[in-house]
Amino acid sequence: MRAAILTSGGDAPGMNACIRAVVRGCLAKEIDIFGIRQGYEGMYTDNIYRMDVSSVADIIHRGGTILRTARSDRFMHEEGRTEAAAFLEGYGIDALVVIGGNGSLTGAHELSQLSNVRIFGVPATIDNDLAYTDYSIGFDTAVNTVVNAIGNIRDTSSSLGRTTVIEVMGRHCGDIALHAGLAGGAETVIVPEAPYDIDVICQNIRTGVERGKLHSIILKAEGIGLSTQALAEILQLKTGCETKTVILGYIQRGGSPTARDRVLASRLGFRVSQLINENAPSCCVGVRGENIVEVPFEEAMQMKKEPPLEFLRICETLL
Ligand code: F6P
């Protein structure tokens, strides 16, 4: 049996741990495994190589992806996906493992409809915006990176008595902000999925100052429709508190994966190698509670993400 593996879209810490688990899990079952570099794009440039045990040595702790990644425009079109299917069939590939986020797994689903190659989707995105799984690979590391940043920013904000608006990633999903806000003790968390009231935020800042609070941390997800700079200017104008901004940006996507991400990546990757070996049909793997689950693409891609908005109320009460 022959399998191939690629990583696609934005990289996420833990992708390497997952590649390692898929490759070594397959080799243990005597399945030939090929790496495709640069995501779906590698199928158009013949960027494929045979992997062995040593190909994945010393990578479990590394951020990024040894297979590199890309956002492929060509794969977005049906013609491009048909070419990709022909490429896989040309190499005699029986199963393809796609490690990536929402867009990448949507593409994997579309490819599975055009091809007899079995496709297995593994959720890896710091955004945690895939509804069918509780967590995606990379999310925990990103949240920890943000929590550490909040700690550093709080030190300097307190020293100077400032309000700081911190912007975190997540595209249209507020999960990073909600988890990091709760763990980092942010006074206010603003996410795309819930309305917010600038006057209430200003009132909270004023109340904090009155009771001797030295800083205010406002954690804002990137997709709320108001720029971080504009929000800071409004807050400064309305409260009279000096207000600074920090956009954490790509720092959230890099770094060594946490133990939690490595465990998740290894479990998901190992499960996929079993599914390949068992001749299981195409599906996405994920985690619900403590259990690894398999969900048909059709169902997984239709599910609507429900962020833990109750975290907002907890933050508001504990501020
Ligand atoms: O990987 C997810 C993500 O980081 C989003 O949060 C963000 O909007 C996007 O990717 C930006 O990535 P890029 O600039 O690489 O397209």
Side-chain angles (χ1 to χ4, degrees):
M1 200 184 288
R2 277 190 163 186
I5 181 168
L6 60 82
T7 49
S8 168
D11 56 324
M15 278 182 161
N16 281 329
C18 188
I19 296 168
R20 173 181 177 270
V22 172
V23 169
R24 291 197 171 162
C26 283
L27 292 173
K29 296 286 180 197
E30 296 183 350
I31 298 166
D32 292 335
I33 176 98
F34 291 79
I36 298 173
R37 293 194 188 91
Q38 281 189 293
Y40 294 119
E41 203 55 32
M43 298 204 248
Y44 306 121
T45 52
D46 205 25
N47 206 345
I48 182 168
Y49 68 111
R50 197 186 184 109
M51 301 183 85
D52 59 24
V53 178
S54 311
S55 311
V56 291
D58 207 22
I59 64 167
I60 195 167
H61 59 292
R62 283 204 231 150
T65 160
I66 59 159
L67 291 175
R68 310 215 26 229
T69 185
R71 299 192 195 276
S72 173
D73 288 337
R74 202 152 153 190
F75 192 76
M76 303 277 230
H77 302 101
E78 188 166 341
E79 208 183 314
R81 289 193 292 276
T82 308
E83 273 179 71
F87 169 86
L88 293 170
E89 280 153 25
Y91 270 95
I93 303 292
D94 304 290
L96 173 70
V97 182
V98 175
I99 305 173
N102 219 329
S104 305
L105 297 200
T106 302
H109 179 210
E110 282 160 352
L111 181 62
S112 72
Q113 291 167 327
L114 286 173
S115 164
N116 290 327
V117 175
R118 292 175 296 133
I119 317 272
F120 296 96
V122 184
T125 163
I126 63 162
D127 295 348
N128 209 38
D129 57 352
L130 284 155
Y132 79 90
T133 183
D134 290 349
Y135 295 106
S136 56
I137 298 166
F139 174 67
D140 186 62
T141 306
V143 168
N144 278 284
T145 300
V146 174
V147 170
N148 287 334
I150 292 174
N152 292 2
I153 293 163
R154 178 184 284 116
D155 288 346
T156 175
S157 297
S158 298
S159 304
L160 287 141
R162 287 172 173 164
T163 297
T164 308
V165 180
I166 306 174
E167 179 185 302
V168 298
M169 279 185 168
R171 213 180 287 253
H172 308 297
C173 179
D175 269 32
I176 295 179
L178 289 164
H179 284 254
L182 190 53
E187 285 80 4
T188 300
V189 177
I190 311 175
V191 294
E193 299 92 337
Y196 59 92
D197 184 334
I198 299 258
D199 290 328
V200 172
I201 299 170
C202 290
Q203 191 47 51
N204 287 342
I205 294 172
R206 282 190 217 101
T207 311
V209 171
E210 277 157 24
R211 74 169 163 90
K213 222 166 168 293
L214 297 175
H215 61 261
S216 290
I217 301 290
I218 315 294
L219 199 61
K220 165 193 175 287
E222 65 180 330
I224 68 160
L226 175 65
S227 82
T228 299
Q229 189 55 38
L231 175 62
E233 281 166 20
I234 296 170
L235 297 181
Q236 177 159 310
L237 199 72
K238 290 194 164 209
T239 63
C241 281
E242 189 183 10
T243 305
K244 296 287 182 182
T245 59
V246 180
I247 297 176
L248 290 177
Y250 294 104
I251 194 172
Q252 296 160 92
R253 268 207 331 223
S256 182
T258 58
R260 201 182 164 95
D261 268 332
R262 296 183 202 189
V263 168
L264 178 62
S266 302
R267 290 181 75 198
L268 292 174
F270 181 68
R271 182 66 192 131
V272 164
S273 71
Q274 290 179 317
L275 292 170
I276 294 172
N277 187 50
E278 289 161 10
N279 259 312
S282 298
C283 68
C284 294
V285 293
V287 63
R288 291 185 187 160
E290 286 303 311
N291 302 318
I292 299 298
V293 293
E294 293 109 48
V295 184
F297 271 101
E298 196 77 48
E299 185 186 329
M301 294 300 113
Q302 270 172 17
M303 287 177 72
K304 202 172 146 9
K305 170 84 188 169
E306 283 178 19
L309 292 179
E310 68 276 14
F311 287 14
L312 293 176
R313 248 179 67 77
I314 304 178
C315 287
E316 277 161 26
T317 309
L318 303 184
L319 65 91

